[in-house]
């Protein structure tokens, strides 16, 4: 994923990051971890939460340091900050939330590959005050999380015939009861990589349909 | 801009490199002992999951020996072999074997073998990077696939049967994953082969280690 961050004028507020410039559906950033991991609701939820957390922390850190930033060196600066934060988060969750790390450990290093975080650093955090950057990170993070959950749920229902399976990995044994069985075998293709592209295309099509319907009204 | 201020640029690069390194170092220092403790606790819990249930509930403080056989045990380094003992009598051997040919990375296994019968008392994949939804079915958290080795031994089935069904063996395959189950079946079989040919040597080393520990406690 080496797309150039879009040079759109990032607007303040919630709807920009969540809907109008949704990282996954509009900017199409962060697709590498998104497509790879969304085989189930739980996987989507975990990667989404981890990504949103990192996005918030990197935006705040970069925004705080933007006064000392030398423009020509900003990209290595962003990458270093993101990599250092993700590595630290990996260590700390492993030390303090071992059970959770067992479940999300695989996803945390993937976050470094997420261009949505670099795009936020470039377009928002390096130019805007901390409060604004934090809000933009929350909006974009929630937008990314929503897409991950939608795609994960869709692929799990079609591919495995279940929903909310393995939620106990995150919430403890009681949550195993949330698992829904549809009594179907599921089409394996939904779980395999092609299913990720089909599912994402479907979500983008739905969003575009909503946007164009609204524009006509 | 940076081009006209090389010294400032250099200073900036050094500062962020040092800052990032300091952050990672500090969090590693804070985490290292806790991570090690967590992993020890998980290891002890995992060890009991591959033991004969009849042995559980007894006070089994396993002695640790090592074994080196890159071909059969999957690692260029000596691997850990945990031997629960009753006094100085070895009851089982638990190999921390490696399946070197996992799909994304080597698969770290625990293979429990009864000292008396040579039968598998349990296998668990304790560390792996298999594909979520496919190869990760080897994980007991995802499916019961790994339980099919229980009760098997080096000659049950015969060598040709130690393969997945699609390769005309006796073990269930995993839908959508070919490499992963092959790797695990081969690693379990190789561990049993190793145990069969080194049984006496391993168990006598374990007895020695248990004796040594007893004499240390007595002092």
């Amino acid at each position: 994923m080496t797309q150039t961050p879009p040079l759109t004028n990032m607007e303040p507020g919630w709807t920009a990051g969540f809907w109008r410039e949704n990282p996954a559906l509009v900017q199409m950033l962060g697709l590498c971890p998104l497509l790879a991991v969304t085989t189930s609701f739980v996987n989507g939820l975990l990667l989404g939460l981890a990504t949103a957390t990192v996005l918030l922390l990197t935006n705040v850190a970069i925004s705080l340091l933007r006064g000392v930033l030398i423009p020509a060196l900003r990209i290595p600066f962003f990458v270093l900050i993101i990599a250092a934060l993700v590595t630290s988060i990996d260590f700390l969750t492993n030390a303090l939330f071992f059970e959770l790390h067992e479940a999300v450990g695989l996803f945390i290093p993937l976050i470094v590959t997420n261009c949505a975080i670099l795009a936020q650093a470039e377009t928002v955090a390096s130019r805007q005050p901390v409060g604004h950057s934090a809000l933009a990170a929350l909006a974009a993070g929630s937008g990314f999380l929503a897409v991950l959950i939608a795609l994960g749920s869709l692929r799990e229902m079609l591919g495995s015939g279940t929903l909310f399976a393995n939620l106990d990995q995150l919430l403890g044994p009681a949550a195993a009861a949330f698992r829904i069985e549809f009594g179907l075998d599921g089409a394996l293709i939904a779980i395999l990589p092609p299913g990720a592209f089909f599912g994402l295309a479907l979500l983008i099509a739905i969003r575009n349909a909503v946007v164009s319907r609204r524009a006509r009204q | 801009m940076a081009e006209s201020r090389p010294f400032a640029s250099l200073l900036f690069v050094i500062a962020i490199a040092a800052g990032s390194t300091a952050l990672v170092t500090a969090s590693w220092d804070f985490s290292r002992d806790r991570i090690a403790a967590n992993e020890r606790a998980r290891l002890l819990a995992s060890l009991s999951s591959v033991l004969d249930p009849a042995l559980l509930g007894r006070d089994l403080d396993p002695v640790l020996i090592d074994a080196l056989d890159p071909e059969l045990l999957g690692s260029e380094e000596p691997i850990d072999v945990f031997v629960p003992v009753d006094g100085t009598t070895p009851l089982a051997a638990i190999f921390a074997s490696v399946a070197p040919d996992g799909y994304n990375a080597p698969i770290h296994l625990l293979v429990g073998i009864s000292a008396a019968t040579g039968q598998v008392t349990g296998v668990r994949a304790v560390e792996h990077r298999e594909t979520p939804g496919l190869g990760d079915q080897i994980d007991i958290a995802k499916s019961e696939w790994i339980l099919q080795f229980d009760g098997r031994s080096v000659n049950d089935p015969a060598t040709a049967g130690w393969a997945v069904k699609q390769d005309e063996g006796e073990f269930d395959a995993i839908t959508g994953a070919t490499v992963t189950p092959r790797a695990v079946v081969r690693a379990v079989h190789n561990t049993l082969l190793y145990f069969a040919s080194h049984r006496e040597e391993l168990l006598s080393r374990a007895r020695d280690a248990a004796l040594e520990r007893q004499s240390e406690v007595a002092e």
Side-chain angles (χ1 to χ4, degrees):
Chain A
M1 297 278 117
T2 51
Q3 289 141 305
T4 336
L7 295 171
T8 47
N9 182 21
M10 292 293 277
E11 289 174 56
W14 186 258
T15 55
F18 191 83
W19 177 257
R20 209 161 40 250
E21 299 187 1
N22 184 293
L25 295 186
V26 182
Q27 299 181 320
M28 309 224 182
L29 293 173
L31 298 190
C32 177
L34 178 132
L35 293 168
V37 167
T38 51
T39 50
S40 69
F41 169 85
V42 167
N43 283 357
L45 177 71
L46 291 176
L47 178 68
L49 289 176
T51 306
T53 309
V54 171
L55 194 53
L56 181 62
L57 291 175
T58 51
N59 258 23
V60 167
I62 289 169
S63 181
L64 285 172
L65 293 170
R66 73 186 188 285
V68 298
L69 181 62
I70 291 178
L73 295 174
R74 67 192 190 285
I75 300 293
F77 169 74
F78 298 152
V79 172
L80 246 178
I81 297 270
I82 294 168
L85 276 170
V86 169
T87 308
S88 301
I89 290 171
D90 194 20
F91 291 155
L92 293 176
T93 46
N94 196 351
L96 299 175
F97 308 100
F98 190 64
E99 299 288 317
L100 186 65
H101 191 268
E102 293 282 280
V104 298
L106 190 64
F107 307 134
I108 294 177
L110 272 177
I111 297 172
V112 182
T113 67
N114 192 328
C115 284
I117 293 174
L118 201 56
Q120 278 282 318
E122 169 77 5
T123 56
V124 183
S126 58
R127 295 149 204 251
Q128 306 285 353
V130 175
H132 184 123
S133 299
L135 184 66
L138 283 175
S142 320
F144 194 67
L145 172 65
V147 175
L148 281 163
I149 289 179
L151 193 54
S153 308
L154 182 72
R155 292 177 68 194
E156 185 180 348
M157 285 190 282
L158 295 178
S160 315
T162 60
L163 190 59
F164 307 136
N166 298 325
L167 204 55
D168 49 320
Q169 285 179 6
L170 182 62
L171 302 175
F178 291 131
R179 182 191 167 100
I180 300 171
E181 290 272 0
F182 296 106
L184 300 167
D185 271 353
L188 188 64
I189 191 158
I191 303 267
L192 295 173
F197 286 96
F198 293 143
L200 182 67
L202 185 67
L203 293 179
I204 293 171
I206 292 172
R207 185 192 172 280
N208 288 352
V210 172
V211 168
S212 62
R213 174 162 299 195
R214 276 193 194 165
R216 265 186 268 124
Q217 278 165 358
Chain B
M1 288 298 273
E3 286 74 15
S4 59
R5 292 162 53 206
F7 184 68
S9 302
L10 184 65
L11 213 59
F12 176 72
V13 170
I14 291 172
I16 59 168
S20 310
T21 309
L23 177 66
V24 171
T25 311
S27 48
W28 177 239
D29 270 350
F30 172 82
S31 309
R32 186 172 43 197
D33 292 345
R34 286 164 217 250
I35 293 175
N38 289 339
E39 279 171 357
R40 260 197 308 278
R42 180 181 63 170
L43 178 69
L44 282 175
S46 308
L47 290 181
S48 49
S49 69
V50 296
L51 280 175
D52 181 353
L55 297 179
L56 296 181
R58 291 160 69 171
D59 182 22
L60 304 166
D61 192 9
V63 295
L64 176 60
I65 55 178
D66 58 13
L68 176 62
D69 188 329
E71 199 156 312
L72 292 181
L73 301 175
S75 171
E76 299 291 328
E77 303 289 317
I79 65 153
D80 289 340
V81 181
F82 302 88
V83 181
V85 287
D86 180 10
T88 59
T89 311
L91 301 171
I94 300 167
F95 286 80
S97 308
V98 179
D101 40 8
Y103 190 65
N104 294 319
I107 302 167
H108 291 258
L109 299 170
L110 282 180
V111 182
I113 302 172
S114 160
T117 65
Q119 284 180 316
V120 173
T121 51
V123 181
R124 291 292 181 277
V126 286
E127 197 188 322
H128 68 85
R129 299 242 150 179
E130 298 310 294
T131 316
L134 297 174
D136 71 346
Q137 304 295 309
I138 59 170
D139 197 322
I140 192 69
K142 302 284 165 73
S143 94
E144 298 192 338
W145 183 86
I146 201 104
L147 299 181
Q148 63 181 322
F149 297 106
D150 295 4
R152 298 296 194 155
S153 58
V154 68
N155 294 317
D156 169 29
T159 302
W162 276 97
V164 287
K165 282 179 181 156
Q166 71 204 74
D167 300 333
E168 275 130 46
E170 293 204 4
F171 295 95
D172 288 337
I174 292 175
T175 313
T178 311
V179 172
T180 310
R182 270 186 194 150
V184 174
V185 169
R186 194 176 309 136
V188 174
H189 186 219
N190 283 343
T191 304
L192 285 167
L193 286 172
Y194 182 88
F195 182 71
S197 55
H198 296 77
R199 186 172 173 278
E200 290 314 315
E201 179 226 326
L202 283 172
L203 296 184
S204 84
R205 272 164 62 204
R207 266 188 293 271
D208 293 345
L211 270 173
E212 196 174 316
R213 190 168 68 184
Q214 276 184 345
S215 61
E216 273 169 22
V217 172
E219 274 162 18

